[in-house]
Amino acid sequence: MAILVCGGAGYIGSHNVRALLARGEETIIIDNFLTGHRGSVPAGARLYEGDIRDAAILDQVFGENDIDAVLHFAASSLVGESMEKPLKYFNNNVHGMQMLLEAMLRHDVDKLVFSSSAAVYGEPERVPIEESDPTRPCNPYGESKLIMETIMRWVGKAHHIRSVSLRYFNVAGAWPGGEIGEDHRPESHLIPLILQVPLGLREQITVFGQDYPTPDGTCIRDYLDVTDLADAHLRAVDYLRRGGASEICNLGNGRGFSVMEMIEAARRVTGQEIKIAVGPRRPGDPARLVASAARAAKVLDWRPETGLEDMIASAWEWHKNHPHGYAR
Ligand code: UFG
Protein backbone atom coordinates (compact mmCIF):
# COMPACT_ATOMS: atom_id res chain seq x y z
CA MET A 1 0.00 0.00 0.00
CA ALA A 2 1.38 3.37 -1.03
CA ILE A 3 1.14 6.91 0.31
CA LEU A 4 0.37 9.71 -2.13
CA VAL A 5 2.09 13.03 -1.38
CA CYS A 6 0.37 15.94 -3.15
CA GLY A 7 2.90 18.75 -3.46
CA GLY A 8 5.77 16.39 -2.63
CA ALA A 9 8.39 18.58 -4.35
CA GLY A 10 7.81 21.63 -2.15
CA TYR A 11 9.69 22.52 1.01
CA ILE A 12 7.49 20.72 3.51
CA GLY A 13 6.31 18.01 1.10
CA SER A 14 9.87 17.01 0.15
CA HIS A 15 10.85 16.58 3.79
CA ASN A 16 7.82 14.38 4.37
CA VAL A 17 8.77 12.30 1.31
CA ARG A 18 12.23 11.71 2.87
CA ALA A 19 10.63 10.69 6.18
CA LEU A 20 8.22 8.27 4.45
CA LEU A 21 11.02 6.65 2.43
CA ALA A 22 13.22 6.42 5.54
CA ARG A 23 10.66 4.20 7.19
CA GLY A 24 10.11 2.08 4.08
CA GLU A 25 6.77 3.46 2.85
CA GLU A 26 6.03 3.18 -0.88
CA THR A 27 5.82 6.86 -1.81
CA ILE A 28 4.09 8.50 -4.78
CA ILE A 29 4.46 12.22 -5.54
CA ILE A 30 2.22 14.46 -7.59
CA ASP A 31 3.48 18.00 -8.13
CA ASN A 32 2.83 20.65 -10.79
CA PHE A 33 6.26 22.25 -10.18
CA LEU A 34 4.79 25.75 -10.02
CA THR A 35 6.63 26.23 -6.72
CA GLY A 36 8.13 22.76 -6.17
CA HIS A 37 11.66 21.81 -7.23
CA ARG A 38 12.69 18.86 -9.40
CA GLY A 39 15.98 18.74 -7.49
CA SER A 40 14.11 17.86 -4.30
CA VAL A 41 12.58 14.63 -5.68
CA PRO A 42 14.52 11.56 -4.55
CA ALA A 43 15.07 8.49 -6.74
CA GLY A 44 13.10 6.28 -4.35
CA ALA A 45 9.74 8.01 -4.95
CA ARG A 46 7.47 7.59 -7.99
CA LEU A 47 6.76 10.98 -9.55
CA TYR A 48 3.74 12.20 -11.52
CA GLU A 49 3.99 15.70 -12.94
CA GLY A 50 0.53 17.24 -12.89
CA ASP A 51 -2.00 19.38 -11.12
CA ILE A 52 -4.43 18.03 -8.53
CA ARG A 53 -7.17 20.17 -10.13
CA ASP A 54 -6.94 17.82 -13.13
CA ALA A 55 -9.29 14.86 -12.52
CA ALA A 56 -7.69 12.83 -15.33
CA ILE A 57 -4.21 12.82 -13.78
CA LEU A 58 -5.64 12.05 -10.34
CA ASP A 59 -7.53 9.09 -11.87
CA GLN A 60 -4.28 7.91 -13.43
CA VAL A 61 -2.36 8.21 -10.14
CA PHE A 62 -5.05 6.49 -8.07
CA GLY A 63 -5.66 3.91 -10.83
CA GLU A 64 -2.01 2.89 -11.25
CA ASN A 65 -1.15 2.67 -7.55
CA ASP A 66 -2.64 0.99 -4.50
CA ILE A 67 -2.97 4.14 -2.40
CA ASP A 68 -3.75 3.77 1.28
CA ALA A 69 -3.48 7.40 2.46
CA VAL A 70 -2.89 10.90 1.09
CA LEU A 71 -0.66 13.65 2.53
CA HIS A 72 -1.84 16.94 1.04
CA PHE A 73 0.69 19.82 0.79
CA ALA A 74 -0.22 21.12 -2.67
CA ALA A 75 -1.30 24.73 -2.09
CA SER A 76 -0.29 28.34 -2.60
CA SER A 77 1.10 29.66 0.68
CA LEU A 78 2.23 33.29 0.50
CA VAL A 79 0.18 35.50 2.78
CA GLY A 80 1.06 38.76 0.98
CA GLU A 81 0.33 37.34 -2.48
CA SER A 82 -3.02 36.03 -1.23
CA MET A 83 -4.09 39.60 -0.36
CA GLU A 84 -3.40 40.68 -3.95
CA LYS A 85 -4.64 37.57 -5.74
CA PRO A 86 -7.36 36.04 -3.55
CA LEU A 87 -8.94 34.12 -6.42
CA LYS A 88 -5.65 32.31 -7.08
CA TYR A 89 -5.81 31.02 -3.49
CA PHE A 90 -9.47 29.96 -3.65
CA ASN A 91 -8.88 28.24 -6.97
CA ASN A 92 -5.62 26.45 -6.23
CA ASN A 93 -6.26 25.64 -2.58
CA VAL A 94 -10.04 25.26 -2.21
CA HIS A 95 -10.87 23.90 -5.66
CA GLY A 96 -7.77 21.68 -5.44
CA MET A 97 -9.08 20.18 -2.20
CA GLN A 98 -12.49 19.54 -3.78
CA MET A 99 -10.92 17.74 -6.77
CA LEU A 100 -8.70 15.66 -4.48
CA LEU A 101 -11.60 14.58 -2.25
CA GLU A 102 -13.72 13.69 -5.29
CA ALA A 103 -10.89 11.51 -6.61
CA MET A 104 -10.43 9.88 -3.18
CA LEU A 105 -14.16 9.03 -3.16
CA ARG A 106 -14.04 7.64 -6.71
CA HIS A 107 -11.09 5.43 -5.76
CA ASP A 108 -12.24 4.53 -2.26
CA VAL A 109 -9.28 6.05 -0.38
CA ASP A 110 -10.31 7.01 3.14
CA LYS A 111 -7.31 8.60 4.93
CA LEU A 112 -6.12 12.19 4.48
CA VAL A 113 -3.47 14.17 6.38
CA PHE A 114 -3.81 17.86 5.59
CA SER A 115 -1.30 20.69 5.78
CA SER A 116 -3.26 23.42 7.55
CA SER A 117 -1.89 26.58 9.13
CA ALA A 118 -1.86 28.79 12.19
CA ALA A 119 -3.12 31.42 9.74
CA VAL A 120 -6.65 30.03 10.34
CA TYR A 121 -6.64 31.76 13.75
CA GLY A 122 -5.84 35.28 12.56
CA GLU A 123 -4.98 37.67 15.39
CA PRO A 124 -5.29 35.47 18.51
CA GLU A 125 -7.05 36.57 21.68
CA ARG A 126 -4.58 34.63 23.82
CA VAL A 127 -1.47 32.46 23.60
CA PRO A 128 -0.78 29.58 23.65
CA ILE A 129 -3.47 29.03 21.04
CA GLU A 130 -5.70 25.98 21.40
CA GLU A 131 -7.54 24.27 18.55
CA SER A 132 -10.91 25.29 19.97
CA ASP A 133 -9.98 28.99 19.98
CA PRO A 134 -11.80 31.27 17.49
CA THR A 135 -10.77 30.96 13.84
CA ARG A 136 -10.84 34.40 12.23
CA PRO A 137 -8.35 34.42 9.35
CA CYS A 138 -7.14 37.85 8.32
CA ASN A 139 -5.96 36.98 4.81
CA PRO A 140 -7.23 34.83 1.90
CA TYR A 141 -4.46 32.27 2.47
CA GLY A 142 -5.66 31.53 6.02
CA GLU A 143 -9.27 31.68 4.87
CA SER A 144 -8.59 29.14 2.12
CA LYS A 145 -7.04 26.72 4.64
CA LEU A 146 -10.03 27.13 6.96
CA ILE A 147 -12.47 26.48 4.09
CA MET A 148 -10.45 23.38 3.16
CA GLU A 149 -10.80 22.12 6.74
CA THR A 150 -14.54 22.86 6.60
CA ILE A 151 -14.95 20.94 3.34
CA MET A 152 -13.13 17.96 4.85
CA ARG A 153 -15.39 18.06 7.90
CA TRP A 154 -18.61 17.93 5.87
CA VAL A 155 -17.26 15.33 3.45
CA GLY A 156 -16.15 13.27 6.44
CA LYS A 157 -19.69 13.35 7.84
CA ALA A 158 -21.29 12.30 4.55
CA HIS A 159 -18.69 9.77 3.40
CA HIS A 160 -16.09 7.53 4.96
CA ILE A 161 -13.03 9.80 4.54
CA ARG A 162 -11.21 10.47 7.84
CA SER A 163 -8.69 13.29 8.09
CA VAL A 164 -6.11 14.84 10.38
CA SER A 165 -5.62 18.58 9.83
CA LEU A 166 -2.28 19.78 11.15
CA ARG A 167 -2.16 23.52 11.82
CA TYR A 168 1.51 24.40 11.47
CA PHE A 169 3.06 27.39 13.17
CA ASN A 170 6.46 28.57 11.76
CA VAL A 171 8.23 25.71 10.03
CA ALA A 172 12.02 25.93 9.68
CA GLY A 173 15.19 23.85 9.34
CA ALA A 174 16.22 21.22 6.82
CA TRP A 175 16.77 17.48 6.45
CA PRO A 176 20.17 16.51 7.91
CA GLY A 177 22.91 16.35 5.27
CA GLY A 178 22.14 19.62 3.53
CA GLU A 179 20.63 18.06 0.37
CA ILE A 180 17.15 19.51 0.59
CA GLY A 181 15.83 22.61 2.29
CA GLU A 182 13.81 25.78 2.00
CA ASP A 183 13.72 27.63 -1.35
CA HIS A 184 10.77 29.96 -1.90
CA ARG A 185 10.61 32.42 -4.81
CA PRO A 186 10.40 35.12 -3.62
CA GLU A 187 11.74 34.21 -0.18
CA SER A 188 9.70 35.82 2.57
CA HIS A 189 10.52 33.63 5.58
CA LEU A 190 12.62 34.95 8.42
CA ILE A 191 15.31 32.27 8.84
CA PRO A 192 16.36 31.96 5.16
CA LEU A 193 16.43 35.76 4.93
CA ILE A 194 18.59 36.09 8.07
CA LEU A 195 21.02 33.49 6.70
CA GLN A 196 21.37 35.37 3.42
CA VAL A 197 23.36 37.98 5.38
CA PRO A 198 26.27 35.70 6.44
CA LEU A 199 26.11 34.13 2.97
CA GLY A 200 26.89 37.56 1.53
CA LEU A 201 23.66 37.66 -0.49
CA ARG A 202 22.11 40.49 1.48
CA GLU A 203 23.60 43.43 3.33
CA GLN A 204 21.34 43.25 6.38
CA ILE A 205 18.13 41.76 7.74
CA THR A 206 15.27 44.17 8.21
CA VAL A 207 13.35 43.68 11.43
CA PHE A 208 9.70 44.37 10.65
CA GLY A 209 8.69 46.52 13.60
CA GLN A 210 10.27 47.04 17.02
CA ASP A 211 7.25 48.56 18.70
CA TYR A 212 5.14 45.48 19.38
CA PRO A 213 3.88 44.81 22.92
CA THR A 214 6.54 42.11 23.51
CA PRO A 215 9.62 42.19 25.81
CA ASP A 216 12.04 43.39 23.07
CA GLY A 217 9.39 44.97 20.85
CA THR A 218 9.71 42.41 18.01
CA CYS A 219 7.19 39.78 16.94
CA ILE A 220 7.14 36.41 18.67
CA ARG A 221 6.64 33.18 16.73
CA ASP A 222 6.68 29.45 17.49
CA TYR A 223 9.38 27.87 15.27
CA LEU A 224 9.12 24.16 14.54
CA ASP A 225 11.71 21.95 12.87
CA VAL A 226 10.61 20.44 9.56
CA THR A 227 11.82 16.95 10.57
CA ASP A 228 9.69 17.10 13.74
CA LEU A 229 6.84 18.23 11.51
CA ALA A 230 7.36 15.22 9.20
CA ASP A 231 7.35 12.93 12.24
CA ALA A 232 3.91 14.31 13.18
CA HIS A 233 2.62 13.43 9.70
CA LEU A 234 3.86 9.83 9.99
CA ARG A 235 2.12 9.61 13.35
CA ALA A 236 -1.07 11.02 11.82
CA VAL A 237 -0.96 8.31 9.13
CA ASP A 238 -0.50 5.66 11.83
CA TYR A 239 -3.38 7.15 13.83
CA LEU A 240 -5.71 6.96 10.81
CA ARG A 241 -4.51 3.42 10.00
CA ARG A 242 -5.48 2.42 13.55
CA GLY A 243 -8.99 3.65 12.73
CA GLY A 244 -8.72 7.06 14.44
CA ALA A 245 -11.53 9.58 13.91
CA SER A 246 -11.00 12.95 12.18
CA GLU A 247 -8.89 15.39 14.20
CA ILE A 248 -7.40 18.87 14.14
CA CYS A 249 -4.05 19.44 15.89
CA ASN A 250 -1.71 22.41 16.19
CA LEU A 251 1.94 21.70 15.43
CA GLY A 252 4.40 23.92 17.26
CA ASN A 253 6.95 23.79 20.06
CA GLY A 254 4.74 25.68 22.48
CA ARG A 255 7.56 28.21 22.96
CA GLY A 256 7.89 31.59 21.33
CA PHE A 257 11.01 33.41 20.13
CA SER A 258 11.19 37.03 19.06
CA VAL A 259 12.70 38.19 15.77
CA MET A 260 15.67 39.61 17.73
CA GLU A 261 16.15 36.29 19.56
CA MET A 262 16.17 34.51 16.19
CA ILE A 263 18.86 36.85 14.88
CA GLU A 264 20.92 36.30 18.05
CA ALA A 265 20.60 32.52 17.65
CA ALA A 266 21.68 32.78 13.99
CA ARG A 267 24.73 34.82 15.08
CA ARG A 268 25.71 32.05 17.51
CA VAL A 269 25.18 29.27 14.93
CA THR A 270 27.02 30.97 12.05
CA GLY A 271 29.66 32.66 14.21
CA GLN A 272 29.13 35.81 12.15
CA GLU A 273 27.92 39.28 12.92
CA ILE A 274 24.56 39.75 11.21
CA LYS A 275 23.73 43.34 10.46
CA ILE A 276 20.18 44.50 11.16
CA ALA A 277 18.02 47.42 10.16
CA VAL A 278 14.73 48.26 11.82
CA GLY A 279 11.88 48.86 9.42
CA PRO A 280 8.16 49.44 9.80
CA ARG A 281 5.71 46.72 10.79
CA ARG A 282 4.66 44.32 8.04
CA PRO A 283 0.88 44.71 7.61
CA GLY A 284 -1.13 41.82 9.03
CA ASP A 285 1.57 40.47 11.40
CA PRO A 286 0.16 39.47 14.80
CA ALA A 287 2.46 40.36 17.73
CA ARG A 288 2.53 36.82 19.12
CA LEU A 289 1.72 33.39 17.72
CA VAL A 290 2.48 30.45 20.00
CA ALA A 291 0.87 27.02 19.79
CA SER A 292 -0.48 24.83 22.47
CA ALA A 293 0.78 21.47 21.18
CA ALA A 294 -1.03 19.50 23.89
CA ARG A 295 -3.58 18.00 21.52
CA ALA A 296 -0.93 16.61 19.13
CA ALA A 297 0.86 15.13 22.17
CA LYS A 298 -2.34 13.46 23.33
CA VAL A 299 -3.80 12.28 20.01
CA LEU A 300 -0.61 11.53 18.06
CA ASP A 301 1.81 10.94 20.95
CA TRP A 302 4.00 13.56 19.25
CA ARG A 303 6.59 15.81 20.87
CA PRO A 304 9.01 18.02 18.95
CA GLU A 305 12.65 17.19 19.70
CA THR A 306 14.76 19.74 17.84
CA GLY A 307 16.02 22.82 19.67
CA LEU A 308 16.20 26.27 18.11
CA GLU A 309 19.95 26.28 17.39
CA ASP A 310 19.88 22.80 15.83
CA MET A 311 17.01 23.98 13.62
CA ILE A 312 19.00 27.01 12.47
CA ALA A 313 22.14 24.86 12.07
CA SER A 314 20.42 22.45 9.66
CA ALA A 315 19.03 25.40 7.67
CA TRP A 316 22.54 26.92 7.63
CA GLU A 317 24.02 23.66 6.30
CA TRP A 318 21.48 23.62 3.44
CA HIS A 319 21.90 27.30 2.55
CA LYS A 320 25.72 27.10 2.67
CA ASN A 321 25.66 24.12 0.30
CA HIS A 322 23.01 25.76 -1.93
CA PRO A 323 23.28 29.56 -1.65
CA HIS A 324 20.92 29.88 -4.62
CA GLY A 325 18.61 27.08 -3.52
CA TYR A 326 17.80 24.50 -6.18
CA ALA A 327 18.85 26.84 -9.01
CA ARG A 328 22.20 25.84 -10.50
N1 UFG B 1 10.28 39.09 9.68
C1 UFG B 1 11.15 40.16 9.77
N2 UFG B 1 11.94 40.42 8.70
C2 UFG B 1 11.91 39.68 7.55
C3 UFG B 1 11.01 38.60 7.46
C4 UFG B 1 10.21 38.33 8.55
O1 UFG B 1 11.22 40.84 10.78
O2 UFG B 1 12.66 40.02 6.61
C5 UFG B 1 9.42 38.78 10.84
C6 UFG B 1 7.95 38.83 10.52
O3 UFG B 1 7.46 40.14 10.67
C7 UFG B 1 7.40 37.85 11.55
C8 UFG B 1 8.53 36.83 11.75
O4 UFG B 1 9.69 37.45 11.22
O5 UFG B 1 7.19 38.51 12.77
C9 UFG B 1 8.29 35.55 11.00
O6 UFG B 1 7.96 35.86 9.65
P1 UFG B 1 7.82 34.73 8.52
O7 UFG B 1 7.46 35.44 7.25
O8 UFG B 1 9.01 33.86 8.53
O9 UFG B 1 6.60 33.86 9.02
P2 UFG B 1 5.09 34.29 9.37
O10 UFG B 1 4.96 34.21 10.85
O11 UFG B 1 4.69 35.55 8.73
O12 UFG B 1 4.31 33.18 8.57
C10 UFG B 1 4.15 31.87 9.01
C11 UFG B 1 4.10 30.95 7.82
C12 UFG B 1 2.89 31.26 6.96
C13 UFG B 1 1.66 31.24 7.82
C14 UFG B 1 1.81 32.15 9.01
C15 UFG B 1 0.65 32.02 9.95
O13 UFG B 1 5.28 31.07 7.06
O14 UFG B 1 2.78 30.30 5.92
O15 UFG B 1 2.97 31.80 9.74
O16 UFG B 1 0.34 33.27 10.46
F1 UFG B 1 0.59 31.63 7.11
Side-chain angles (χ1 to χ4, degrees):
M1 297 290 271
I3 295 192
L4 173 63
V5 185
C6 301
Y11 168 47
I12 294 175
S14 63
H15 285 76
N16 274 270
V17 165
R18 291 299 189 292
L20 288 166
L21 291 172
R23 78 161 194 185
E25 298 277 0
E26 187 185 344
T27 304
I28 320 290
I29 295 173
I30 179 166
D31 202 294
N32 61 12
F33 292 104
L34 288 182
T35 54
H37 302 281
R38 283 170 213 282
S40 76
V41 177
R46 183 167 188 191
L47 171 68
Y48 289 83
E49 181 168 353
D51 194 302
I52 61 162
R53 291 165 292 181
D54 175 358
I57 183 109
L58 285 182
D59 280 339
Q60 187 191 348
V61 173
F62 282 102
E64 289 179 359
N65 301 282
D66 189 10
I67 292 169
D68 178 36
V70 178
L71 302 191
H72 181 25
F73 305 99
S76 302
S77 64
L78 299 174
V79 170
E81 183 191 54
S82 79
M83 296 293 283
E84 282 155 25
K85 298 179 186 168
L87 290 171
K88 173 176 174 178
Y89 280 71
F90 294 118
N91 187 310
N92 193 22
N93 298 2
V94 177
H95 181 53
M97 172 63 90
Q98 180 182 350
M99 297 300 282
L100 176 63
L101 288 167
E102 285 174 1
M104 289 175 66
L105 285 179
R106 282 197 301 282
H107 296 272
D108 207 22
V109 176
D110 66 348
K111 304 175 200 71
L112 175 61
V113 180
F114 170 55
S115 164
S116 189
S117 170
V120 301
Y121 296 111
E123 178 84 49
E125 277 167 14
R126 57 167 191 178
V127 291
I129 303 171
E130 291 177 11
E131 292 79 354
S132 53
D133 286 356
T135 46
R136 289 191 285 251
C138 45
N139 51 63
Y141 165 67
E143 190 77 69
S144 73
K145 292 272 169 167
L146 189 59
I147 297 171
M148 292 158 90
E149 286 189 3
T150 306
I151 294 172
M152 290 190 306
R153 190 174 75 241
W154 289 111
V155 170
K157 280 186 202 290
H159 305 285
H160 57 287
I161 295 178
R162 290 168 296 121
S163 61
V164 177
S165 290
L166 299 172
R167 293 177 176 169
Y168 315 157
F169 282 63
N170 288 61
V171 187
W175 193 257
E179 271 177 38
I180 59 168
E182 198 165 359
D183 180 3
H184 298 106
R185 313 287 170 93
E187 190 53 79
S188 63
H189 294 85
L190 180 65
I191 295 177
L193 289 173
I194 293 175
L195 295 176
Q196 285 179 2
V197 183
L199 281 173
L201 299 173
R202 139 186 323 268
E203 188 67 21
Q204 60 199 16
I205 178 78
T206 303
V207 176
F208 294 152
Q210 213 171 28
D211 57 350
Y212 284 96
T214 60
D216 66 15
T218 65
C219 285
I220 291 177
R221 295 287 180 274
D222 182 334
Y223 295 87
L224 172 68
D225 189 77
V226 69
T227 60
D228 286 330
L229 181 96
D231 177 50
H233 287 72
L234 298 184
R235 288 168 189 269
V237 169
D238 294 341
Y239 166 82
L240 292 172
R241 281 178 171 162
R242 288 195 301 272
S246 292
E247 267 293 344
I248 295 177
C249 298
N250 289 337
L251 292 185
N253 268 300
R255 218 190 130 188
F257 292 94
S258 72
V259 173
M260 282 312 298
E261 286 174 318
M262 297 303 289
I263 296 168
E264 281 304 330
R267 285 174 174 152
R268 289 194 297 276
V269 168
T270 61
Q272 295 193 42
E273 181 52 33
I274 294 173
K275 215 174 137 193
I276 67 162
V278 178
R281 292 184 179 196
R282 186 171 67 178
D285 269 346
R288 251 178 230 264
L289 285 176
V290 181
S292 161
R295 184 141 199 93
K298 184 168 165 238
V299 174
L300 305 176
D301 193 23
W302 172 82
R303 277 159 203 84
E305 287 179 352
T306 313
L308 184 65
E309 291 194 11
D310 287 340
M311 199 184 302
I312 296 175
S314 65
W316 180 228
E317 191 180 14
W318 153 254
H319 289 291
K320 261 192 312 188
N321 287 350
H322 301 84
H324 302 287
Y326 289 99
R328 284 175 197 279

